[in-house]
Amino acid sequence: MDYVLTAEALGKHYGHFKALDGLSMHVPKGSIYGLVGRNGAGKTTLIRLVCGLQAPTSGAYTLYGVPSGDRALAKVRRRMGAVVETPSIYLDLTAEDNLKEQYLVLGRPSYEGIPELLHLVGLADTGKKKARNFSLGMKQRLGIAIALAGDPDLLVLDEPVNGLDPQGIIEIRELILKLNRERQITVVISSHILDELAKLATHYGFIDSGRMVKEISAQELEAACRKCVHVEVTDTAALARVLDGMGVDYKIRSEREADVFAQMNVSQLTLALAKENCEVLSMQERDESLESYFVNLVGGGGHA
């Protein structure tokens, strides 16, 4: 597989605190790679290292095959755009003038591509409106436009939908999908809104305590997040006996609840349980979500 970004045993220490602790990752070319982890897990630190804003304490990463520390990395990094933590925009300038400033920084010969870029991110009609008067979603889209000014192959977004209203979240989602599908831009995105990330990502990296716990494709995750029938009964011990006799996979959740990982014949199950003096109280089909998969992977507690 062709990887745009890899990391091997990457470490970042602040005194005795290990923000990253031997982390490894592999971002396939053309993917939307979702970074999943609690607050403080190391997501933003990883992004800052990859963007060259900080240097690793140990280990290494490669960008388009060029290792960190190589002189050629600065040139390769021009193929990368990023929005880290908050968009870097001039609040007293219009969207167009913000992009002109970025074009000057990048040394681009003309402003020819700016109208197309504004149209791409949905800011073509903002005119002379200054960025300080933009909504949070508009500011985020302007930040992404600035990150796209150098025509990058790789876009890194740190919590791009944080604080946005539902409409703003949809706009950012559609923009990311458009960039990936129509421009073949590889996207690395961290988000604490896991259900939203599930609508975007083709690959995932689960980070906990500065380490990569697991990397998995969306297809593999879908297979791992098995559908189940959530059953509530009067006696799960009786249910277990019946399901064992049927050779069905299940998980007991409590004295009255269980998850059954099979398509069940409701009449057959009810009759079998009746013989065990057990009554079915309710049955409901469920899918394991990205959030529950993450919690099961790294343990309980908050996530981000």
Side-chain angles (χ1 to χ4, degrees), residues 82-209:
V83 181
V84 183
E85 295 179 294
T86 55
S88 299
I89 59 179
Y90 296 101
L91 295 176
D92 288 325
L93 297 182
T94 64
E96 182 179 355
D97 287 341
N98 263 279
L99 285 172
K100 284 180 178 179
E101 289 294 323
Q102 184 65 11
Y103 268 48
L104 289 172
V105 169
L106 295 171
R108 299 202 63 167
S110 77
Y111 298 141
E112 190 177 315
I114 289 178
E116 181 187 353
L117 200 47
L118 288 171
H119 179 75
L120 177 67
V121 299
L123 296 176
D125 298 326
T126 53
K128 294 183 178 181
K129 187 175 184 179
K130 292 182 179 180
R132 69 167 60 256
N133 298 316
F134 285 6
S135 67
L136 193 58
M138 291 169 69
K139 289 176 181 175
Q140 196 65 265
R141 282 183 279 132
L142 178 55
I144 293 174
I146 291 169
L148 294 170
D151 291 327
D153 302 316
L154 171 64
L155 183 63
V156 179
L157 303 174
D158 186 18
E159 300 281 1
V161 299
N162 195 21
L164 299 187
D165 60 23
Q167 182 60 35
I169 290 173
I170 291 170
E171 289 170 354
I172 295 296
R173 181 209 309 159
E174 290 178 348
L175 175 58
I176 291 169
L177 288 171
K178 186 174 185 178
L179 293 172
N180 178 253
R181 292 169 181 172
E182 295 182 11
R183 298 200 172 196
Q184 285 75 54
I185 295 175
T186 304
V187 183
V188 175
I189 175 174
S190 73
S191 178
H192 71 281
I193 305 177
L194 301 187
D195 287 343
E196 182 59 32
L197 199 58
K199 297 171 184 173
L200 287 167
T202 62
H203 295 75
Y204 297 91
F206 294 91
I207 300 178
D208 191 46
S209 301

Side-chain angles (χ1 to χ4, degrees), residues 229-254:
V229 178
H230 185 75
V231 183
E232 186 178 1
V233 295
T234 54
D235 182 3
T236 50
L239 175 65
R241 289 194 297 271
V242 169
L243 294 177
D244 284 338
M246 293 179 172
V248 170
D249 190 16
Y250 63 90
K251 184 172 185 178
I252 302 298
R253 296 290 182 184
S254 68

